[in-house]
Amino acid sequence: DAEITQSPRHKITETGRQVTLACHQTWNHNNMFWYRQDLGHGLRLIHYSYGVQDTNKGEVSDGYSVSRSNTEDLPLTLESAASSQTSVYFCASSPGHPEQYFGPGTRLTVT
Amino acid sequence: AQSVSQHNHHVILSEAASLELGCNYSYGGTVNLFWYVQYPGQHLQLLLKYFSGDPLVKGIKGFEAEFIKSKFSFNLRKPSVQWSDTAEYFCAVVPSNTGKLIFGQGTTLQVKP
């Protein structure tokens, strides 16, 4: 069955380190998204991509970057992790209509 | 800025009680509307969606929602909740001018057996 996966599911890192969170989908969806989930804020959009080589900033993109070299993957990189980036990160994909399909999430702790 | 408001942050109900969770959004144009549910330790799952047509939308597990355009609302309802409905519920909106999903803050529902 087609699916969307994220790895790792849990990560603890130190302030200042570079961290990459993986997102992989097998639906062949063009659109992929990264969100962070924080108490009291719901999910907020970090970056998104509408296809290979396309990336766009979302609402809370500072300190994050993405690259899209193929249809299946949209890795999220924290250039220099900060404690404020402790959060749960969700990847999502969509075939082009508004409905999005979410991955299981990655819980990131920055100490 | 466009936003989505969920008025109830934490709701506690007994089994068999009726549920209504409020959701309002701030965009005057065409919207697509969603309710997602996140069970403890799991990822977001779609409960129901509204794109067009009948404003009363039925979803999975006995949930329904009503789109009232004049009130910019999309409230979620269930006539009789079960302990297994304990979860966090998110309302989300896609305004036609951006095409991007905007989430509300979420409502934590706790159902006591």
Side-chain angles (χ1 to χ4, degrees), chain B residues 40-74:
Chain B
Q42 297 189 26
H43 63 284
L44 276 78
Q45 302 172 41
L46 183 68
L47 262 184
L48 46 79
K49 62 188 177 187
Y50 172 82
F51 286 1
S52 64
D54 188 344
L56 184 61
V57 179
K58 294 194 184 297
I60 61 171
K61 305 187 180 186
F63 286 91
E64 65 178 30
E66 185 175 13
F67 172 46
I68 303 179
K69 189 174 181 180
S70 61
K71 295 185 177 180
F72 302 95
S73 70
F74 190 55

Short mmCIF file of all heavy atoms in Angstrom, two decimals, chain B residues 40-74:
data_model
loop_
_atom_site.label_atom_id
_atom_site.label_comp_id
_atom_site.label_asym_id
_atom_site.label_seq_id
_atom_site.Cartn_x
_atom_site.Cartn_y
_atom_site.Cartn_z
N PRO B 40 -4.14 9.52 20.52
CA PRO B 40 -2.88 9.57 21.28
C PRO B 40 -1.78 8.77 20.61
O PRO B 40 -1.95 7.58 20.32
CB PRO B 40 -3.29 8.98 22.63
CG PRO B 40 -4.74 9.30 22.77
CD PRO B 40 -5.30 9.21 21.38
N GLY B 41 -0.67 9.42 20.35
CA GLY B 41 0.49 8.76 19.77
C GLY B 41 0.40 8.46 18.29
O GLY B 41 1.28 7.80 17.74
N GLN B 42 -0.64 8.95 17.65
CA GLN B 42 -0.81 8.64 16.23
C GLN B 42 -0.75 9.91 15.37
O GLN B 42 -0.71 11.01 15.88
CB GLN B 42 -2.14 7.92 16.00
CG GLN B 42 -2.22 6.56 16.69
CD GLN B 42 -3.45 5.80 16.28
OE1 GLN B 42 -4.00 6.00 15.19
NE2 GLN B 42 -3.89 4.91 17.14
N HIS B 43 -0.75 9.70 14.06
CA HIS B 43 -0.70 10.84 13.15
C HIS B 43 -2.10 11.36 12.87
O HIS B 43 -3.09 10.76 13.28
CB HIS B 43 -0.01 10.43 11.85
CG HIS B 43 -0.74 9.37 11.09
ND1 HIS B 43 -0.73 8.04 11.45
CD2 HIS B 43 -1.53 9.44 9.98
CE1 HIS B 43 -1.46 7.35 10.59
NE2 HIS B 43 -1.96 8.18 9.70
N LEU B 44 -2.18 12.47 12.21
CA LEU B 44 -3.46 13.07 11.88
C LEU B 44 -4.20 12.23 10.84
O LEU B 44 -3.61 11.77 9.86
CB LEU B 44 -3.27 14.48 11.31
CG LEU B 44 -3.13 15.60 12.31
CD1 LEU B 44 -1.75 15.61 12.90
CD2 LEU B 44 -3.44 16.93 11.67
N GLN B 45 -5.49 12.07 11.09
CA GLN B 45 -6.34 11.34 10.15
C GLN B 45 -7.51 12.24 9.79
O GLN B 45 -8.02 12.97 10.62
CB GLN B 45 -6.87 10.05 10.78
CG GLN B 45 -5.79 9.11 11.26
CD GLN B 45 -6.36 7.96 12.05
OE1 GLN B 45 -7.41 7.41 11.70
NE2 GLN B 45 -5.70 7.58 13.13
N LEU B 46 -7.96 12.14 8.56
CA LEU B 46 -9.07 12.95 8.12
C LEU B 46 -10.39 12.40 8.66
O LEU B 46 -10.69 11.22 8.48
CB LEU B 46 -9.11 12.99 6.59
CG LEU B 46 -10.19 13.87 5.98
CD1 LEU B 46 -9.87 15.34 6.27
CD2 LEU B 46 -10.28 13.64 4.47
N LEU B 47 -11.16 13.25 9.32
CA LEU B 47 -12.49 12.87 9.80
C LEU B 47 -13.55 13.14 8.74
O LEU B 47 -14.40 12.31 8.47
CB LEU B 47 -12.85 13.70 11.04
CG LEU B 47 -12.66 13.12 12.42
CD1 LEU B 47 -13.18 14.11 13.45
CD2 LEU B 47 -13.34 11.78 12.57
N LEU B 48 -13.49 14.35 8.19
CA LEU B 48 -14.43 14.72 7.15
C LEU B 48 -13.93 15.98 6.45
O LEU B 48 -13.02 16.65 6.94
CB LEU B 48 -15.84 14.93 7.72
CG LEU B 48 -16.00 15.77 8.99
CD1 LEU B 48 -15.91 17.24 8.71
CD2 LEU B 48 -17.33 15.45 9.67
N LYS B 49 -14.56 16.27 5.31
CA LYS B 49 -14.15 17.43 4.53
C LYS B 49 -15.35 18.02 3.81
O LYS B 49 -16.34 17.32 3.54
CB LYS B 49 -13.08 17.01 3.50
CG LYS B 49 -13.58 15.98 2.50
CD LYS B 49 -12.44 15.46 1.64
CE LYS B 49 -12.96 14.36 0.71
NZ LYS B 49 -11.85 13.70 -0.04
N TYR B 50 -15.24 19.30 3.53
CA TYR B 50 -16.26 19.98 2.74
C TYR B 50 -15.56 20.72 1.61
O TYR B 50 -14.69 21.57 1.84
CB TYR B 50 -17.07 20.96 3.58
CG TYR B 50 -17.99 21.80 2.74
CD1 TYR B 50 -19.22 21.31 2.33
CD2 TYR B 50 -17.63 23.08 2.31
CE1 TYR B 50 -20.06 22.06 1.52
CE2 TYR B 50 -18.45 23.83 1.51
CZ TYR B 50 -19.66 23.32 1.12
OH TYR B 50 -20.49 24.06 0.31
N PHE B 51 -16.01 20.44 0.38
CA PHE B 51 -15.50 21.18 -0.77
C PHE B 51 -16.62 22.02 -1.38
O PHE B 51 -16.41 23.18 -1.71
CB PHE B 51 -14.94 20.21 -1.83
CG PHE B 51 -13.61 19.61 -1.47
CD1 PHE B 51 -12.97 19.89 -0.27
CD2 PHE B 51 -12.96 18.74 -2.33
CE1 PHE B 51 -11.74 19.34 0.07
CE2 PHE B 51 -11.73 18.18 -2.02
CZ PHE B 51 -11.13 18.48 -0.82
N SER B 52 -17.79 21.42 -1.56
CA SER B 52 -18.93 22.14 -2.12
C SER B 52 -20.17 21.28 -1.92
O SER B 52 -20.09 20.15 -1.46
CB SER B 52 -18.72 22.42 -3.61
OG SER B 52 -18.65 21.22 -4.34
N GLY B 53 -21.35 21.84 -2.27
CA GLY B 53 -22.58 21.06 -2.20
C GLY B 53 -23.25 21.13 -0.84
O GLY B 53 -23.24 22.18 -0.19
N ASP B 54 -23.83 20.03 -0.42
CA ASP B 54 -24.59 19.96 0.84
C ASP B 54 -23.71 20.43 1.99
O ASP B 54 -22.64 19.85 2.24
CB ASP B 54 -25.05 18.53 1.07
CG ASP B 54 -26.01 18.40 2.26
OD1 ASP B 54 -26.09 19.34 3.09
OD2 ASP B 54 -26.66 17.36 2.36
N PRO B 55 -24.14 21.47 2.71
CA PRO B 55 -23.29 21.98 3.79
C PRO B 55 -23.21 21.07 5.01
O PRO B 55 -22.39 21.29 5.89
CB PRO B 55 -23.97 23.31 4.15
CG PRO B 55 -25.37 23.15 3.72
CD PRO B 55 -25.35 22.27 2.51
N LEU B 56 -24.07 20.06 5.07
CA LEU B 56 -23.99 19.10 6.17
C LEU B 56 -23.19 17.90 5.67
O LEU B 56 -23.63 17.18 4.77
CB LEU B 56 -25.40 18.69 6.61
CG LEU B 56 -25.45 17.75 7.82
CD1 LEU B 56 -24.82 18.43 9.05
CD2 LEU B 56 -26.87 17.34 8.11
N VAL B 57 -22.04 17.73 6.27
CA VAL B 57 -21.11 16.71 5.80
C VAL B 57 -21.00 15.60 6.83
O VAL B 57 -20.85 15.87 8.02
CB VAL B 57 -19.71 17.34 5.59
CG1 VAL B 57 -18.73 16.29 5.12
CG2 VAL B 57 -19.78 18.49 4.61
N LYS B 58 -21.08 14.38 6.36
CA LYS B 58 -20.93 13.24 7.26
C LYS B 58 -19.55 12.62 7.06
O LYS B 58 -19.08 12.46 5.93
CB LYS B 58 -22.03 12.22 7.00
CG LYS B 58 -23.41 12.75 7.34
CD LYS B 58 -24.45 11.67 7.42
CE LYS B 58 -25.84 12.28 7.66
NZ LYS B 58 -25.89 12.99 8.95
N GLY B 59 -18.91 12.27 8.19
CA GLY B 59 -17.58 11.69 8.12
C GLY B 59 -17.55 10.31 8.72
O GLY B 59 -18.59 9.65 8.87
N ILE B 60 -16.36 9.90 9.08
CA ILE B 60 -16.20 8.57 9.66
C ILE B 60 -16.60 8.57 11.13
O ILE B 60 -16.67 9.62 11.76
CB ILE B 60 -14.74 8.08 9.51
CG1 ILE B 60 -13.77 9.02 10.25
CG2 ILE B 60 -14.37 7.96 8.04
CD1 ILE B 60 -12.35 8.50 10.33
N LYS B 61 -16.87 7.39 11.66
CA LYS B 61 -17.12 7.17 13.08
C LYS B 61 -18.29 7.99 13.63
O LYS B 61 -18.30 8.33 14.81
CB LYS B 61 -15.85 7.43 13.89
CG LYS B 61 -14.67 6.62 13.40
CD LYS B 61 -13.45 6.74 14.28
CE LYS B 61 -12.32 5.89 13.72
NZ LYS B 61 -11.14 5.84 14.61
N GLY B 62 -19.25 8.30 12.80
CA GLY B 62 -20.46 8.98 13.27
C GLY B 62 -20.34 10.48 13.42
O GLY B 62 -21.27 11.13 13.92
N PHE B 63 -19.24 11.05 12.99
CA PHE B 63 -19.06 12.50 13.08
C PHE B 63 -19.72 13.19 11.89
O PHE B 63 -19.81 12.63 10.80
CB PHE B 63 -17.58 12.87 13.10
CG PHE B 63 -16.90 12.58 14.41
CD1 PHE B 63 -16.29 11.35 14.63
CD2 PHE B 63 -16.88 13.53 15.42
CE1 PHE B 63 -15.68 11.07 15.84
CE2 PHE B 63 -16.26 13.26 16.63
CZ PHE B 63 -15.66 12.03 16.84
N GLU B 64 -20.16 14.41 12.11
CA GLU B 64 -20.69 15.24 11.04
C GLU B 64 -20.30 16.69 11.34
O GLU B 64 -19.93 17.04 12.47
CB GLU B 64 -22.20 15.12 10.91
CG GLU B 64 -22.98 15.63 12.10
CD GLU B 64 -24.48 15.53 11.89
OE1 GLU B 64 -24.94 14.63 11.16
OE2 GLU B 64 -25.19 16.37 12.46
N ALA B 65 -20.34 17.51 10.31
CA ALA B 65 -20.04 18.93 10.48
C ALA B 65 -20.94 19.72 9.55
O ALA B 65 -21.32 19.26 8.48
CB ALA B 65 -18.58 19.21 10.16
N GLU B 66 -21.25 20.92 9.98
CA GLU B 66 -22.12 21.79 9.19
C GLU B 66 -21.38 23.08 8.83
O GLU B 66 -20.87 23.78 9.71
CB GLU B 66 -23.40 22.12 9.93
CG GLU B 66 -24.37 22.94 9.09
CD GLU B 66 -25.71 23.18 9.77
OE1 GLU B 66 -25.80 22.94 10.99
OE2 GLU B 66 -26.63 23.62 9.08
N PHE B 67 -21.34 23.36 7.55
CA PHE B 67 -20.75 24.60 7.04
C PHE B 67 -21.83 25.66 7.00
O PHE B 67 -22.84 25.51 6.31
CB PHE B 67 -20.17 24.35 5.65
CG PHE B 67 -19.70 25.59 4.92
CD1 PHE B 67 -18.92 26.53 5.57
CD2 PHE B 67 -20.04 25.79 3.59
CE1 PHE B 67 -18.48 27.66 4.90
CE2 PHE B 67 -19.59 26.92 2.92
CZ PHE B 67 -18.82 27.86 3.57
N ILE B 68 -21.64 26.74 7.76
CA ILE B 68 -22.55 27.87 7.72
C ILE B 68 -21.76 29.06 7.21
O ILE B 68 -20.99 29.69 7.95
CB ILE B 68 -23.17 28.17 9.11
CG1 ILE B 68 -23.88 26.93 9.64
CG2 ILE B 68 -24.15 29.34 9.00
CD1 ILE B 68 -24.51 27.12 11.02
N LYS B 69 -21.94 29.33 5.92
CA LYS B 69 -21.12 30.35 5.27
C LYS B 69 -21.29 31.73 5.90
O LYS B 69 -20.32 32.47 6.07
CB LYS B 69 -21.47 30.41 3.78
CG LYS B 69 -20.53 31.27 2.95
CD LYS B 69 -20.84 31.16 1.47
CE LYS B 69 -19.87 32.00 0.66
NZ LYS B 69 -20.15 31.90 -0.79
N SER B 70 -22.52 32.06 6.26
CA SER B 70 -22.80 33.39 6.82
C SER B 70 -22.12 33.60 8.16
O SER B 70 -21.88 34.74 8.57
CB SER B 70 -24.30 33.60 6.96
OG SER B 70 -24.84 32.64 7.84
N LYS B 71 -21.82 32.51 8.85
CA LYS B 71 -21.16 32.60 10.15
C LYS B 71 -19.69 32.22 10.08
O LYS B 71 -19.01 32.19 11.10
CB LYS B 71 -21.88 31.69 11.16
CG LYS B 71 -23.31 32.10 11.47
CD LYS B 71 -23.91 31.23 12.56
CE LYS B 71 -25.32 31.69 12.92
NZ LYS B 71 -25.91 30.84 13.98
N PHE B 72 -19.20 31.92 8.89
CA PHE B 72 -17.80 31.49 8.71
C PHE B 72 -17.47 30.36 9.69
O PHE B 72 -16.42 30.35 10.33
CB PHE B 72 -16.84 32.67 8.93
CG PHE B 72 -17.10 33.83 8.03
CD1 PHE B 72 -17.90 34.89 8.44
CD2 PHE B 72 -16.57 33.87 6.75
CE1 PHE B 72 -18.17 35.96 7.59
CE2 PHE B 72 -16.83 34.94 5.90
CZ PHE B 72 -17.63 35.99 6.33
N SER B 73 -18.40 29.41 9.79
CA SER B 73 -18.21 28.35 10.78
C SER B 73 -18.30 26.97 10.15
O SER B 73 -18.92 26.77 9.10
CB SER B 73 -19.26 28.48 11.89
OG SER B 73 -20.55 28.15 11.41
N PHE B 74 -17.67 26.02 10.82
CA PHE B 74 -17.67 24.62 10.38
C PHE B 74 -17.57 23.78 11.65
O PHE B 74 -16.54 23.19 11.96
CB PHE B 74 -16.50 24.36 9.44
CG PHE B 74 -16.54 23.02 8.74
CD1 PHE B 74 -17.65 22.64 8.00
CD2 PHE B 74 -15.46 22.17 8.79
CE1 PHE B 74 -17.69 21.42 7.33
CE2 PHE B 74 -15.48 20.94 8.12
CZ PHE B 74 -16.58 20.57 7.40
#
